[in-house]
Amino acid sequence: MRQGEQMEHVLDFRNVDKGSIASVGGKNASLGEMIKAGIRVPPGFAVTTQSYLSYITESGIKDNIFAILAEMNPEEVDSVNAASEKIQELMKQVEIPQDIKGAIEQAYDRLCRECETKAAPVAVRSSATAEDLPTASFAGQQDTYLWIEGKDNVLEKVRDCWASLFTPRAISYRVKNNFPHEKVLISVGVQRMANSKAAGVMFTLNPTDGDRSKVVIEGSWGLGETVVSGTVTPDKFVIDKVIMEISERTISRKHIQCIYNPDGGGTIDTDVSEDMQNQCCLEDREIKELVRMAKKIEAHYGRPMDIEWAIDKDIPFPDNIFIVQARPETVWSQKSSGPKIGKKSGYQLLMEQAMKRIKIP
C-alpha cells in the first residue's frame, strides 16, 4: 500500500497502478495500470480496502465475522452455507460510516460530471486483494452488478460487494487454496458502463493449444456477460499477431443479448432479432484494433493476458473500443506442455476461470 493511500476512502483509476493492489485489489489496480499504459479504459474509481476495513471495524462486526468462520466446518456444505448466511445478514444490518459514504457520493458525482450526465450508469465490481494475480485466479469469486444508476443504488451495491467476500463459494475457495480469510480484503470498482453494441473476451494466446503467436477474440451482441457466462455461443476469431491476418472466423447464432433495461433499470437478457442472429458482431477494422490493444496490454505486462472488451454504440470508431478488465492468463502460462489438464481442455479451464456471478438488479 502506497504512502497516502492508507487513509483514502476512494481512489480514481487514474491514480492507481500495480503498486496499489493492497489498496484497491488486483482488478482495479490493473485498470489503473492500463490507463497509465495508454489503453482505452472507461473512467471510474475504486472504493479502497481501507473503507471496507473501517466498515467492519467501526461497526463492531469484524470479530463476529471471524468467530463465525472459526466455528464453521469447512468440510460440510451446510456449515459453510450457514456461516455465510449469518455473516451476510450481519453486514446488511450495518450502515456505511458517514465519511466513507460521503467520499463515495462525491466520487460518483465527479464521474457523472466527467460523463456529462446526472446519473452515470456504472458497473460495480468487487476487486479482492488476492485476485487476478498470476499464481491464483480468484476471478468470479465475488459479485458484479451492471448498469447501476444513482448514488443510493451505488452505495447499496458497494455494500453488497463487500458482503460477497463471504458467499459460500468465496469462503470455500479460500479454504481450498489456503488463503486465510482475514488476509483477503476487498475493494470495489465503480466504472462507467460502455453502452455496448458488442462485447466479449480475448486471449493473447490460443486457449485451445497455448500458441502465443495468436490472439483469440470471442464476442456477441450487447454486453459481454452472455459470453463470459456461456449463455450464447459467441463469434470466434483467431488472428496472427505479427501479420494481423484473421486465420479463423467462426460466426455463431447469437440468439440472446444482455442489454440495458429501459423500464426497470439494470440489465436484462432479450432475444436478438432474427436478421442479426447470424450476423458477424465485429467489423474487420474493430478486430484489428482489438488485436492492437491486446498486443499492447501483453507487452506492458510481459505475459499472456485474459481480457474483457466492449464496443460502445454511442461513440465513433476507434474511440468506442474499450478494455473493461484484464488479468493474467493462468492456465497455459503455468503449463509446460500438452493440450489437456486432466480431462478438460485448456479452453474449458479458461472459460471456467472467466465465469463469474452476475447480479441483475
Side-chain angles (χ1 to χ4, degrees):
M1 191 178 292
R2 292 242 175 78
Q3 195 172 5
E5 285 184 1
Q6 190 172 354
M7 295 312 293
E8 294 274 8
H9 293 312
V10 300
L11 289 166
D12 190 288
F13 289 156
R14 288 168 290 204
N15 298 330
V16 302
D17 55 30
K18 62 188 176 187
S20 309
I21 287 177
S23 297
V24 300
K27 205 174 285 174
N28 292 331
S30 178
L31 291 170
E33 188 71 20
M34 285 192 290
I35 290 169
K36 289 188 175 174
I39 304 295
R40 211 175 295 110
V41 171
F45 60 90
V47 182
T48 63
T49 53
Q50 186 57 43
S51 291
Y52 161 74
L53 210 49
S54 297
Y55 166 71
I56 61 168
T57 306
E58 290 174 24
S59 62
I61 61 170
K62 183 180 174 185
D63 292 343
N64 291 352
I65 288 171
F66 294 119
I68 291 166
L69 290 169
E71 289 167 10
M72 173 192 78
N73 182 348
E75 302 298 320
E76 289 184 9
V77 173
D78 288 348
S79 179
V80 174
N81 288 345
S84 170
E85 200 174 315
K86 280 183 196 169
I87 294 168
Q88 303 260 336
E89 202 52 49
L90 262 180
M91 294 180 83
K92 279 176 186 164
Q93 289 169 4
V94 174
E95 289 294 322
I96 297 175
Q98 198 56 47
D99 53 343
I100 299 170
K101 185 180 174 186
I104 295 169
E105 289 175 339
Q106 283 177 20
Y108 180 71
D109 282 341
R110 278 195 303 273
L111 183 61
C112 290
R113 286 196 298 274
E114 190 177 335
C115 299
E116 298 179 343
T117 178
K118 284 184 180 177
V122 293
V124 182
R125 288 189 176 96
S126 62
S127 179
T129 53
E131 173 189 66
D132 294 348
L133 306 180
T135 55
S137 176
F138 271 63
Q141 297 310 313
Q142 286 82 46
D143 287 348
T144 294
Y145 301 90
L146 301 176
W147 215 283
I148 305 304
E149 297 171 288
K151 284 185 278 200
D152 290 347
N153 291 328
V154 168
L155 286 164
E156 181 190 337
K157 298 309 175 194
V158 165
R159 188 168 59 175
D160 287 346
C161 278
W162 287 338
S164 76
L165 197 56
F166 299 101
T167 61
R169 185 167 174 241
I171 292 169
S172 299
Y173 194 93
R174 289 196 294 274
V175 169
K176 184 182 169 188
N177 289 279
N178 295 315
F179 275 93
H181 296 293
E182 63 277 8
K183 293 272 178 74
V184 181
L185 299 177
I186 193 165
S187 166
V188 179
V190 179
Q191 184 178 34
R192 182 181 71 76
M193 289 286 304
N195 190 15
S196 307
K197 69 161 188 168
V201 298
M202 58 180 170
F203 306 102
T204 64
L205 49 61
N206 191 331
T208 56
D209 59 12
D211 182 352
R212 295 192 181 196
S213 71
K214 302 288 193 289
V215 171
V216 174
I217 300 173
E218 297 189 336
S220 191
W221 299 119
L223 303 175
E225 273 53 46
T226 54
V227 178
V228 172
S229 66
T231 312
V232 297
T233 302
D235 292 345
K236 179 182 174 184
F237 312 90
V238 180
I239 306 96
D240 186 288
K241 280 180 187 170
V242 180
I243 60 174
M244 299 288 277
E245 189 176 274
I246 303 167
S247 57
E248 284 180 43
R249 188 191 301 258
T250 309
I251 309 306
S252 301
R253 179 175 168 266
K254 303 167 292 295
H255 60 294
I256 288 174
Q257 61 181 340
C258 178
I259 60 168
Y260 167 62
N261 178 10
D263 297 327
T267 59
I268 49 168
D269 286 347
T270 63
D271 293 332
V272 174
S273 62
E274 286 283 344
D275 60 323
M276 286 182 67
Q277 287 183 11
N278 294 306
Q279 265 187 42
C280 179
C281 70
L282 287 172
E283 300 171 24
D284 282 10
R285 62 178 186 167
E286 292 168 339
I287 293 170
K288 286 180 178 175
E289 177 65 10
L290 282 168
V291 173
R292 188 191 68 76
M293 294 170 90
K295 285 166 67 176
K296 194 172 180 180
I297 292 166
E298 182 179 57
H300 180 76
Y301 282 92
R303 62 171 61 247
M305 298 294 286
D306 166 357
I307 300 160
E308 293 180 30
W309 55 269
I311 300 180
D312 196 308
K313 64 174 79 166
D314 301 326
I315 301 171
F317 177 87
D319 296 336
N320 60 342
I321 299 182
F322 291 97
I323 302 302
V324 293
Q325 280 192 58
R327 62 180 74 90
E329 186 279 326
T330 56
V331 176
W332 286 100
S333 303
Q334 295 176 29
K335 193 169 154 48
S336 53
S337 63
K340 301 283 181 184
I341 300 176
K343 292 185 179 178
K344 291 182 180 176
S345 68
Y347 175 75
Q348 287 171 319
L349 287 157
L350 270 173
M351 290 315 292
E352 283 179 10
Q353 166 196 320
M355 288 279 281
K356 60 176 177 279
R357 299 178 63 193
I358 303 297
K359 292 289 183 183
I360 309 299

